[in-house]
Amino acid sequence: MKRRISRVAVIGSGIMGSGIACHFANIGVAVLLLDVVPRECTEGEKAKGLARTDPAVRNRMAVENLAQAAKSKPAPLYDKAFIKRIQTGNLEDDLPELSAVDWIVEAVVERLEIKRSVFEKIEKYRRPGTLITSNTSGIPIGLMAAGRSEDFQKHFAGSHFFNPPRYLKLLEVIPAPHTSQAVIDFLLMYGAKFLGKTTVLCKDTPAFIANRVGIFSIMKLFHEVKKFDLTIEEVDALTGPVIGRPKSATFRTVDVVGLDTLVRVAKGLQQLKGDEQNATFSPPDYIQDMLDKNWLGAKTGSGFYRKTKGEKSEIHSLDLDAMRYRARKKVRFAALESAKRIDGISDRFPFLIKGTDKAAAFYRSTLGSLFAYVSHRIPEIADELYRIDDAIRAGFGWRQGPFEIWDAVGIRVGIRIAKENHCEVAKWVGEMQRKGMANFYRVDEKGTRYYYDIKTGDYQTIPGQAHYITLSNIRPTTTVWKNRGCAIEDLGDGILNIEFRSKMNAIGGEVIQGLNKGIEIAERDFQGVVIANQGQNFSAGANLSMIFMLAVEREYEELNRAVQTFQHALMRIRYSAIPVVAAPHAMTLGGSCELCLHADRVVAAAETYMGLVECSVGLIPAGGGSKEMTQRAAETFHKGDVELNRLRDHFTTIGMARVSTSAYEAFASGFLKAGRDLVVVQDERRIAAAKQCALARAENGYTKPVPTPVKVLGKQALGVFLVGADSLSAGNYISEHDKKVAGKLAYVMAGGDLSEATYVSEQYLLDLEREAFLSLCTEKKTLARIQHILKTGKPLRN
Ligand code: NAD
């Protein structure tokens, strides 16, 4: 029977329960969120005359926890309105409702006896066949399942979400001894396809996979920092973005997680028999000292870093010898600077471990022991090596997992640096080498990725890939054309992909050339085009430094030509003979948002942050963005009855440079169109889904759209916009310069100061946009804003 998930119950509405409830609501599932009935009424409730029998009191825990979660940042919901999909209740009155759900997720406090008593209660109401999973981070799944009915045990497993559930990509699935294979397969599939997670099958071993390996790696660094006489900030510089790890690197991450939480898990792992490096989990003295002083990180105000008080607060770091906070020191490692100039993260590792300084020795030691550690964890925590890499990438935000890094430095070198640091790697690595297999992973000419499977002693494909397109895997054989900022790849079935590859994927001359070239090639030899990449962000927008240079040098002719070229490229996308599908993800700002507005369809990742942010740098969207938002508003005007609200909303969205916090919010902002554009929760599927969309459009007989005139309202709209900007300025909500920029935008979106509503061509609006843009480029305050954002990455209010 086909299993469908329409309604889920989440038991426990704390940090994790509320977050998990929100994420199910994000994907359209109805959620029942239950928590305990409070023991007594609060003073406030008593004052209102409420008794413990009132639902307002009985449901208080779940209601308040959910409300608090909904307010938290980053937002747990794709769209605030989705909270309506969550019904709150309590674990006494609402238990009968459990018979109507398809999946029960337990997320109550981490205590075995409490979890077991919750399961006992649930079992009375649960319909046979209903999935039931626990979010425990460390209680053995088998212990929780023991003693329950056969049907319960067959449908029971661990489903370990990470905090925050919407954003952290990992979902560990841990079978209990009697979980059916169908249930395990379903959880792995559903978690990936619909919840958008990297699902990792784990064994029921302490801390499962990600925390076992991730915490090992952190504890190792705790020991090495003193051995190599490094400072906190030096370790964070060495273990951050330069090697493809998050900006918060090691110590800042621990400050966020909480040192006590980390050490508690580590101490549990220290007891593990059969773990050859379990001494690493024992905290060094200075860590114990920090725990004694309650320096636990963000939650106690002091950790490895501390924010100083006073007018000019600064971040200080802990001197581990003196155990005192001091101003942060500049980190200087020549090798780090050189490594940053190497493009691919994989190519940096061999370079970084080669040096003779302490940074290189630190890398050799920490990586060597990590390689040895993960090699011994198979088959203990996973049968397949790729699961360890998947878990670490998704759970800890590393760009590459341990085996991938080992491949990058070379297997033989990895074995050597492990040995130099007194660690032996597991025997299977030597056997693999003797068979002449030189890597843990390989990719064939079609882009299919294989891993070395220890059980069969051969390469096997990684499951699930058939649904994904990974550009870095296919690029070597499918590139049709490229320049320094763009590559055009053949995705097969007559679909081309245009991939931005410039710095921050900014749109400059080379990207525009690539866009034109892609359309040209596709119109000649292909059926459709996808515009997608797998960089950190879809694109930061137009190349601002180029605009700045031309504006400062008063090369207005040149600037005019550059804007015109961009407008032409986007209009070419709009009016091409083949369907063009944009597939944005993450930051999709300015010019790249305009590009999406001109595509035939958009297939966006759920985590897409779209916005026309030009006004924040004192400009207006001039790649057709102002025009397109005017046109989209005009589509909502009723015959004879002009509806100004939508146009005013769009004007405000652009004027305030608002960025959507998800793809769903982008529908509300008007950047995406309901019934036309699509959202994909699992980002790995985005390009494949966009390709399918382009293919379906082509197969259904795509025809070039026919231009339609745009109704503009002239003075009627202009007056409303200017009065609005005036009152914001009078109330000091916006600066004089903001008012000037808003005035220019108003003029464009009103279609000029026409005396009555008129139909105009798209070109008319494009010309207005360009003129406004160029005139703003002559403004000193606009130039100051651009310069500031280029220098600091932050907007300037002037
Ligand atoms: P939490 O303390 O925020 O929430 C726990 C919830 O359990 C509370 O709402 C509480 O009212 C409820 N509860 C307490 N006693 C109960 C009882 N007798 N019956 C039913 N409910 C009861 O905890 P959390 O951080 O959300 O953790 C929940 C689970 O998720 C734990 O198993 C934890 O180990 C796991 N987990 C936590 C994180 C994290 O980062 N916080 C990450 C992954 C997994």
Side-chain angles (χ1 to χ4, degrees):
M1 203 181 71
K2 183 116 181 99
R3 189 179 284 282
R4 286 213 167 77
I5 304 295
S6 319
R7 195 162 157 78
V8 163
V10 179
I11 315 292
S13 62
I15 304 273
M16 293 307 290
S18 288
I20 294 167
C22 287
H23 197 52
F24 273 104
N26 279 338
I27 63 162
V29 174
V31 185
L32 176 66
L33 179 63
L34 304 181
D35 210 308
V36 288
V37 174
R39 282 210 192 92
E40 53 192 42
C41 292
T42 60
E43 289 307 317
E45 285 165 342
K46 282 182 202 157
K48 281 191 204 152
L50 293 171
R52 199 170 169 265
T53 47
D54 285 302
V57 176
R58 298 179 74 71
N59 297 341
R60 186 214 311 144
M61 298 293 278
V63 170
E64 287 186 354
N65 284 342
L66 178 63
Q68 200 174 349
K71 273 194 283 182
S72 66
K73 290 235 159 72
L77 288 164
Y78 289 157
D79 188 317
K80 280 196 198 90
F82 293 173
I83 201 161
K84 286 193 223 115
R85 297 173 183 167
I86 307 174
Q87 180 197 334
T88 43
N90 67 68
L91 277 167
E92 289 175 20
D93 310 325
D94 299 299
L95 286 172
E97 289 215 37
L98 293 181
S99 64
V101 305
D102 309 300
W103 183 350
I104 302 167
V105 183
E106 172 277 311
V108 306
V109 280
E110 185 76 341
R111 296 217 343 237
L112 177 62
E113 71 283 7
I114 293 186
K115 294 202 190 260
R116 285 181 64 98
S117 83
V118 165
F119 292 136
E120 200 174 315
K121 269 193 208 166
I122 289 175
E123 179 134 45
K124 296 197 184 101
Y125 298 93
R126 173 187 162 270
R127 203 179 46 208
T130 306
L131 295 175
I132 171 144
T133 63
S134 169
N135 193 54
T136 179
S137 359
I139 300 175
I141 308 297
L143 277 186
M144 286 188 284
R148 302 260 70 85
S149 70
E150 195 186 324
D151 186 83
F152 186 109
Q153 298 208 31
K154 243 172 89 179
H155 295 91
F156 181 72
S159 61
H160 188 210
F161 287 87
F162 282 62
N163 189 26
R166 167 179 165 185
Y167 297 94
L168 262 181
K169 285 264 297 173
L170 181 58
L171 173 61
E172 292 182 318
V173 173
I174 314 108
H178 303 292
T179 316
S180 81
Q181 190 58 44
V183 165
I184 299 166
D185 293 343
F186 179 84
L187 292 172
L188 290 171
M189 178 282 294
Y190 189 92
K193 189 169 176 185
F194 299 113
L195 289 164
K197 302 291 156 205
T198 299
T199 47
V200 174
L201 178 66
C202 301
K203 295 194 179 182
D204 195 3
T205 56
F208 313 127
I209 298 181
N211 282 338
R212 175 77 174 272
V213 175
I215 291 177
F216 168 82
S217 168
I218 294 174
M219 294 303 290
K220 183 76 192 169
L221 295 173
F222 281 179
H223 290 282
E224 303 293 78
V225 58
K226 281 198 148 184
K227 187 170 120 193
F228 287 102
D229 190 26
L230 291 162
T231 63
I232 302 274
E233 44 274 55
E234 281 173 335
V235 172
D236 274 355
L238 292 169
T239 57
V242 70
I243 56 165
R245 297 192 193 166
K247 260 198 211 138
S248 53
T250 303
F251 291 111
R252 200 175 290 281
T253 302
V254 177
D255 273 354
V256 173
V257 171
L259 187 62
D260 53 337
T261 309
L262 180 91
V263 172
R264 192 170 47 236
V265 184
K267 282 190 170 163
L269 293 169
Q270 196 188 330
Q271 314 302 326
L272 271 177
K273 303 216 165 51
D275 182 322
E276 67 296 332
Q277 291 198 58
N278 62 4
T280 304
F281 290 109
S282 157
D285 293 344
Y286 73 90
I287 293 287
Q288 194 52 53
D289 197 10
M290 286 178 71
L291 291 172
D292 296 341
K293 290 185 161 95
N294 208 30
W295 291 348
L296 308 180
K299 61 180 160 191
T300 59
S302 309
F304 292 104
Y305 295 94
R306 174 196 273 177
K307 209 173 188 176
T308 60
K309 295 201 175 80
E311 226 171 79
K312 255 190 132 191
S313 87
E314 277 177 62
I315 308 274
H316 281 185
S317 61
L318 184 62
D319 178 325
L320 296 180
D321 293 320
M323 287 306 272
R324 265 204 311 266
Y325 292 92
R326 51 149 177 77
R328 280 182 297 173
K329 290 185 181 163
K330 256 213 142 20
V331 175
R332 277 182 224 282
F333 288 116
L336 276 193
E337 293 315 307
S338 313
K340 283 181 195 156
R341 286 194 286 274
I342 303 174
D343 264 353
I345 296 288
S346 307
D347 300 329
R348 292 181 185 175
F349 286 105
F351 171 80
L352 285 169
I353 61 167
K354 243 186 351 214
T356 49
D357 60 350
K358 62 181 177 182
F362 165 82
Y363 280 126
R364 284 195 296 272
S365 162
T366 50
L367 290 178
S369 60
L370 179 65
F371 297 158
Y373 193 68
V374 291
S375 72
H376 287 287
R377 300 286 75 74
I378 298 177
E380 183 197 352
I381 63 172
D383 287 329
E384 297 85 9
L385 58 86
Y386 72 87
R387 299 202 196 270
I388 294 183
D389 285 342
D390 279 357
I392 289 294
R393 262 191 273 104
F396 282 80
W398 294 17
R399 294 261 293 276
Q400 295 185 319
F403 288 107
E404 289 164 326
I405 301 174
W406 194 344
D407 262 349
V409 302
I411 304 242
R412 202 166 323 155
V413 175
I415 297 173
R416 175 171 55 77
I417 60 175
K419 220 176 231 157
E420 278 169 17
N421 288 286
H422 320 291
C423 298
E424 285 293 333
V425 308
K427 287 205 175 69
W428 62 264
V429 182
E431 284 158 22
M432 174 181 131
Q433 270 193 313
R434 278 191 290 283
K435 284 190 195 148
M437 294 171 175
N439 296 300
F440 297 111
Y441 294 97
R442 67 177 190 83
V443 177
D444 70 13
E445 59 293 343
K446 288 201 186 111
T448 308
R449 195 161 183 242
Y450 300 80
Y451 70 98
Y452 175 74
D453 181 53
I454 295 140
K455 263 197 264 176
T456 55
D458 205 349
Y459 288 109
Q460 303 293 344
T461 50
I462 300 175
Q465 285 177 89
H467 308 292
Y468 308 158
I469 292 176
T470 307
L471 295 175
S472 56
N473 288 349
I474 61 168
R475 218 183 271 142
T477 51
T478 56
T479 304
V480 174
W481 182 95
K482 68 174 181 179
N483 64 14
R484 282 194 318 173
C486 218
I488 300 177
E489 296 111 358
D490 179 354
L491 297 183
D493 303 314
I495 306 295
L496 274 190
N497 181 60
I498 306 178
E499 181 191 9
F500 301 171
R501 300 189 63 195
S502 53
K503 190 173 171 211
M504 294 166 80
N505 288 335
I507 304 176
E510 283 160 340
V511 169
I512 294 174
Q513 188 193 14
L515 288 170
N516 284 321
K517 194 76 191 169
I519 305 283
E520 178 196 316
I521 301 175
E523 282 184 332
R524 203 177 51 223
D525 299 325
F526 288 80
Q527 299 206 65
V529 167
V530 168
I531 303 176
N533 67 70
Q534 288 167 324
Q536 252 173 341
N537 293 303
F538 181 65
S539 164
N543 182 343
L544 264 186
S545 45
M546 179 196 76
I547 295 171
F548 182 72
M549 253 160 47
L550 293 176
V552 165
E553 285 170 17
R554 301 179 182 213
E555 298 275 7
Y556 300 123
E557 281 282 314
E558 186 72 13
L559 200 50
N560 184 37
R561 252 196 311 275
V563 181
Q564 212 162 25
T565 310
F566 186 43
Q567 289 183 341
H568 283 163
L570 296 195
M571 289 299 273
R572 191 149 182 218
I573 288 174
R574 160 63 51 82
Y575 293 107
S576 64
I578 36 101
V580 178
V581 178
H585 69 287
M587 291 293 182
T588 301
L589 303 178
S592 64
C593 178
E594 293 180 301
L595 184 152
C596 294
L597 294 175
H598 286 82
D600 174 48
R601 290 283 185 275
V602 179
V603 174
E607 297 298 345
T608 299
Y609 317 119
M610 282 187 129
L612 293 171
V613 292
E614 289 81 353
C615 290
S616 64
V617 287
L619 296 169
I620 67 153
S626 306
K627 170 214 58 154
E628 185 61 22
M629 295 304 274
T630 307
Q631 189 169 21
R632 287 184 180 205
E635 285 164 13
T636 67
F637 296 163
H638 300 296
K639 241 195 184 152
D641 170 25
V642 168
E643 177 60 90
L644 243 174
N645 288 352
R646 194 67 176 156
L647 186 64
R648 193 172 39 207
D649 287 350
H650 287 184
F651 171 73
T652 316
T653 301
I654 304 177
M656 304 292 229
R658 280 192 193 131
V659 177
S660 75
T661 61
S662 73
Y664 285 98
E665 236 188 56
F667 282 100
S669 324
F671 299 135
L672 296 181
K673 271 189 181 174
R676 191 194 81 146
D677 298 327
L678 295 175
V679 179
V680 177
V681 178
Q682 191 186 19
D683 191 44
E684 290 81 353
R685 288 178 185 250
R686 175 174 39 95
I687 299 181
K691 177 185 161 187
Q692 284 312 318
C693 177
L695 210 52
R697 298 286 295 154
E699 296 284 332
N700 285 332
Y702 182 82
T703 49
K704 193 199 277 209
V706 178
T708 46
V710 185
K711 186 171 186 175
V712 290
L713 304 180
K715 277 188 176 146
Q716 184 195 351
L718 188 57
V720 174
F721 295 157
L722 293 182
V723 169
D726 225 25
S727 67
L728 285 177
S729 157
N732 253 337
Y733 294 107
I734 60 172
S735 69
E736 268 304 306
H737 192 55
D738 288 328
K739 193 172 118 183
K740 184 174 260 175
V741 177
K744 296 274 180 192
L745 177 67
Y747 190 81
V748 176
M749 294 187 78
D753 56 1
L754 305 168
S755 52
E756 58 183 30
T758 312
Y759 283 92
V760 299
S761 67
E762 284 183 82
Q763 191 56 51
Y764 170 88
L765 288 174
L766 288 172
D767 292 341
L768 285 189
E769 265 185 32
R770 214 174 53 253
E771 278 162 31
F773 182 93
L774 289 173
S775 79
L776 286 168
C777 281
T778 64
E779 296 281 341
K780 270 200 185 117
K781 286 195 169 168
T782 288
L783 295 182
R785 285 186 186 190
I786 302 180
Q787 189 173 31
H788 191 266
I789 209 153
L790 285 171
K791 242 191 195 159
T792 67
K794 296 196 179 93
L796 170 73
R797 277 211 68 194
N798 60 2

